[in-house]
Structures are given as structure tokens and as C-alpha cells.
Amino acid sequence: MNPEQFFSASRLVIVAGKGGVGKTVVAASLARAASKTGRQALLVEVQGRSGIGRLLGGEELTYEDQVLLTDPSGGAVRGRTIRPDDALIDWLNEHGMKRIAKRLVQTGVLEIIATATPGLRDLLVLGKVKHLEREGDADLIVVDAPAAGHAITFLRAARTLYDTARAGPIHNQAKEVLDMLADPARTQVLLVALAEETPINEMIETAYHLEDHVGVKLGPAIVNGCYPLLEGLDGKPPRAPKAMVADLERAAELRRNRVELQEAQLARLADELPVEQIRLPYRFDGDMDADAITILADHVLAGIGDLSLSAGGQDAT
């Protein structure tokens, strides 16, 4: 698949995965990859201070857009965070209630309402994402969603409140968010995992739950931290000084076992979740920074290039 086609398939990409699988790094790499194709990408953080802005050479994200980087292609990555309080103020301002907006937040009314109305905070955030998607100021919006468990409740919030509030502004907002999530031309979800048993299990479970209970389309599965298949680890004695041979053989055995386990999990994922895979390499060279994200973005683009034409927005059934 041509990367330009992939990044045009949906205006909103929601990246989710179990904690510790590199979800935030993947979200940043995806936005960076889009910018390398000349697109204006908006990276949205919804969980708190994840440091995603610094991954791309910028500052900690705030509620206001900031440019994180530009690409020679003409593309760019902007970033912002969305908090329920700020989203509520925006929503009230848009509906002619500017005078009371800040007072409601400052007096803790939102906290009281949110406690009594499960899912309201998530709906406020998703409502703001929907507003940004409708504005069309970015070619692609990439949302670094909560970890997999919360991601399900995050994306189900609109359905819960749509069914609970049968009329009024909350009902209308929930309906509009549901319409956005259900439209593959507007939204797709990319799930991230490591090639290990527990993360793969959680990816599979999350994928079917999202399709069954949210109705959102799945993009390709992103498998992070994959060890490359190397030549020369076939059991033959290594060429090295005799004193080092035993250590090298043990290292080679560990590497062979790691790759065998990885390939077994990737095969199981392909069997149990029939969506295509993008595999990103394990990085052995330390901390993540803007240069590392740019390298991973190139791997994202290569992985997209290996996808079939139907990969953008797939069914798990």
C-alpha cells in the first residue's frame, strides 16, 4: 500500500495498547511518518504528562497547539493535549455559556457531575477530538489513547451516555462521537503489542471487544520491539578466540530462543486476529529522542508499503 493512501484512509487514528508496549512511541512515530509524506499531522495526548512532545523535540504538550517539527517534504507534526476541564470550557463557550464556563470548573462542579455520570470525562475529550476532526485543520489526527483496559471504556463512553441520556446536549454529543467512531473514512484504531504472550492476548481481546461493542474499524496491528532474524545463529561454532566461544554460544542460544518465541506469537496473532501486521524493530541503542522516532517512522513507512490495498480499516471477523 502506498503510504499516502494509508494516511488518507481515515482522518483520525487512535493508537491503543497495553501499558509498557511502546504505544506512545508508536503514536509519535506514526505522526512523524505522516509528516514525511507531506502531511500536517496533529498528535493528541489525552492521558497526562506522557512526554510525547519531547519525543519529537518539542516541549511538554499543553491545550494549545504547538509545532513539534517540520519536514523538508512540507509536512509537519503539531501536538496538543486534551483535558476534560478544558474541553468542557470550550464546549460551553461554543454554546453561548462563556460566563459560567470557568466558574463551573473552578468550583468543582465538573468533578461532581463526572462522578455522578460515568463516562462524561471521556465523552468531553472525544467530543473535542471530534471537533478537531471536523475542523479539518490537520490532514491526520493521531490520538495517543489510554492503555488498553481504559481504552475500551474510553471509546465506549459515547455509547454508554447515548443510551443513558435519551435527549439533550449530552445525547447529541454522544451521537456525533458515535458517528465519527463508526465511520471508517473518519476513524480507525491501531492496536499496539509486543510479540509476547500477554500483550498479544490483550491485543486480540481488545480488538474483538472494540469491534463488537464500539463498532470501530481496526487498522493493521502494530507489533513493536521485534528482534530481526539474523544470519549466523544456526548452531555452528562461532569464529572467535577460544575463551569467548562459550559466552558467544550462550548469547546465540538466547537470541535464537527469543526469536523462536517471537515468531510463534506473531504466527498466533495472525491466526487469531486476521488483520495485517506492521512490525517495528527492537532498539538496542538507548533512549528515545527525535532522531530515534524518525528512524522508527521510516520503519512505519516500510511496513505500510508491505500492506495490501485493503489494509486501512480492517474487520477482525
Side-chain angles (χ1 to χ4, degrees):
M1 173 183 284
N2 187 305
E4 293 187 1
Q5 181 182 8
F6 178 85
F7 289 122
S8 299
S10 301
R11 294 190 293 274
L12 169 64
V13 172
I14 299 172
V15 181
K18 178 180 172 63
V21 301
K23 169 182 61 66
T24 295
V25 166
V26 169
S29 301
L30 195 70
R32 181 69 181 99
S35 75
K36 289 169 77 71
T37 69
R39 280 168 171 70
Q40 303 297 310
L42 175 61
L43 187 57
V44 175
E45 188 273 329
V46 301
Q47 288 184 281
R49 300 174 71 86
S50 69
I52 196 169
R54 296 187 182 278
L55 283 175
L56 290 164
E59 300 297 325
E60 286 289 348
L61 301 186
T62 68
Y63 195 66
E64 301 301 323
D65 275 21
Q66 63 168 286
V67 176
L68 299 174
L69 59 83
T70 57
D71 190 85
S73 67
V77 180
R78 308 195 322 266
R80 65 174 299 163
T81 188
I82 298 179
R83 301 287 178 271
D85 288 4
D86 295 320
L88 176 61
I89 290 174
D90 270 1
W91 187 85
L92 291 171
N93 288 345
E94 291 164 9
H95 288 77
M97 293 178 276
K98 187 173 182 178
R99 284 188 174 184
I100 67 170
K102 289 187 178 180
R103 183 176 298 178
L104 286 175
V105 173
Q106 291 169 353
T107 57
V109 171
L110 173 62
E111 191 70 36
I112 297 171
I113 296 173
T115 300
T117 313
L120 181 59
R121 286 182 177 276
D122 291 334
L123 180 63
L124 288 168
V125 171
L126 285 167
K128 182 61 180 179
V129 171
K130 178 228 10 168
H131 177 76
L132 294 172
E133 185 265 339
R134 277 185 170 176
E135 278 187 328
D137 191 38
D139 299 316
L140 179 73
I141 300 173
V142 180
V143 174
D144 180 24
H150 184 192
I152 292 173
T153 58
F154 175 70
L155 294 172
R156 288 192 65 179
R159 170 58 62 187
T160 299
L161 288 169
Y162 177 78
D163 293 338
T164 302
R166 297 308 181 101
I170 292 179
H171 176 88
N172 295 337
Q173 180 78 296
K175 174 65 166 59
E176 291 176 1
V177 169
L178 284 173
D179 289 344
M180 176 185 72
L181 294 177
D183 185 350
R186 298 175 70 185
T187 305
Q188 65 174 312
V189 172
L190 301 186
L191 296 178
V192 182
L194 299 176
E196 300 172 4
E197 183 174 4
T198 299
I200 292 295
N201 287 344
E202 188 153 345
M203 172 185 272
I204 293 167
E205 180 181 347
T206 301
Y208 284 104
H209 195 105
L210 289 177
E211 286 212 323
D212 292 343
H213 299 286
V214 180
V216 69
K217 288 288 184 180
L218 297 176
I222 310 291
V223 186
N224 195 24
C226 292
Y227 281 58
L229 305 179
L230 297 180
E231 300 290 337
L233 295 180
D234 54 2
K236 296 178 181 178
R239 294 181 180 179
K242 189 174 182 179
M244 297 175 58
V245 168
D247 289 340
L248 289 172
E249 287 179 342
R250 283 194 294 270
E253 181 65 19
L254 286 172
R255 183 60 177 269
R256 279 195 299 272
N257 290 341
R258 178 65 179 81
V259 171
E260 287 174 4
L261 290 172
Q262 167 184 295
E263 294 305 302
Q265 291 302 322
L266 290 171
R268 183 170 70 88
L269 175 62
D271 183 57
E272 298 186 31
L273 184 64
V275 299
E276 295 192 59
Q277 299 174 12
I278 294 175
R279 303 180 186 185
L280 300 182
Y282 187 92
R283 289 189 55 83
F284 295 92
D285 53 354
D287 294 338
M288 281 290 167
D289 57 17
D291 290 337
I293 294 297
T294 297
I295 292 170
L296 284 176
D298 289 334
H299 285 283
V300 169
L301 292 171
I304 291 170
D306 291 336
L307 297 175
S308 68
L309 293 177
S310 61
Q314 304 173 66
D315 289 312
T317 52

